[in-house]
Amino acid sequence: MEKRERNEKMENNDVGSIRIADEVVGIIAGMAATEVSGVAGMSAGLVGGIAEMLGKKNLAKGVKVEVGEREAAVDLYIIVEYGVRIPDIALRVQENVKRGIESMTGLDVVEVNVHVQGVGFNQDSKEEDLRVR
């Protein structure tokens, strides 16, 4: 039998041990990224040249994390809203993700790489309503 090793932050204390799985860090990163105004959503990556936008339930998708004993590195694949200044949004995402992971897990975040995969357009529902009536 081959033993499958999972990356987790593990901490021992007098009472026992604490383990934080990569998936948990990924969800924290996804939530922190989508909290930033100007981020339309997370991206599943390029599918046939088009970025596939994910809903709020798939926050860990579009996030790649590497967790060591004390440090974490994060890659985020996001879709930004049309009309925003991308460098400003990316910087705010980096800061929010770093702050969120460090405050919730105690890990030191050594890097947050933001990959902008697409631009989301805010569809005006009023125009569609007028066509339907």
Side-chain angles (χ1 to χ4, degrees):
M1 272 193 300
E2 185 177 325
K3 185 178 180 183
R4 185 175 168 215
E5 189 174 323
R6 295 179 60 183
N7 289 331
E8 298 176 332
K9 178 192 180 201
M10 189 164 142
E11 191 175 299
N12 292 314
N13 56 34
D14 294 339
V15 180
S17 63
I18 301 169
R19 293 189 175 118
I20 301 174
D22 282 1
E23 293 83 15
V24 172
V25 177
I27 290 170
I28 294 168
M31 289 181 73
T34 56
E35 285 176 353
V36 174
S37 178
V39 174
M42 304 302 292
S43 172
L46 292 177
V47 180
I50 299 172
E52 180 187 349
M53 191 162 131
L54 297 168
K56 297 246 183 220
K57 293 182 181 179
N58 295 322
L59 290 172
K61 303 290 184 190
V63 179
K64 180 183 168 195
V65 296
E66 293 180 33
V67 179
E69 288 183 27
R70 295 184 187 101
E71 297 177 336
V74 182
D75 283 285
L76 296 164
Y77 299 86
I78 66 171
I79 297 173
V80 297
E81 293 175 359
Y82 176 76
V84 299
R85 189 168 188 284
I86 294 173
D88 293 344
I89 298 302
L91 179 61
R92 289 198 321 228
V93 166
Q94 288 174 318
E95 291 168 347
N96 207 39
V97 168
K98 180 177 170 68
R99 184 176 37 255
I101 292 172
E102 287 179 348
S103 68
M104 289 186 73
T105 66
L107 291 166
D108 290 323
V109 178
V110 293
E111 63 183 37
V112 178
N113 301 309
V114 177
H115 306 272
V116 178
Q117 298 286 293
V119 177
F121 297 95
N122 187 7
Q123 296 179 353
D124 201 1
S125 61
K126 290 179 184 176
E127 183 178 319
E128 289 183 35
D129 289 343
L130 293 175
R131 293 179 72 195
V132 175
R133 290 183 187 175

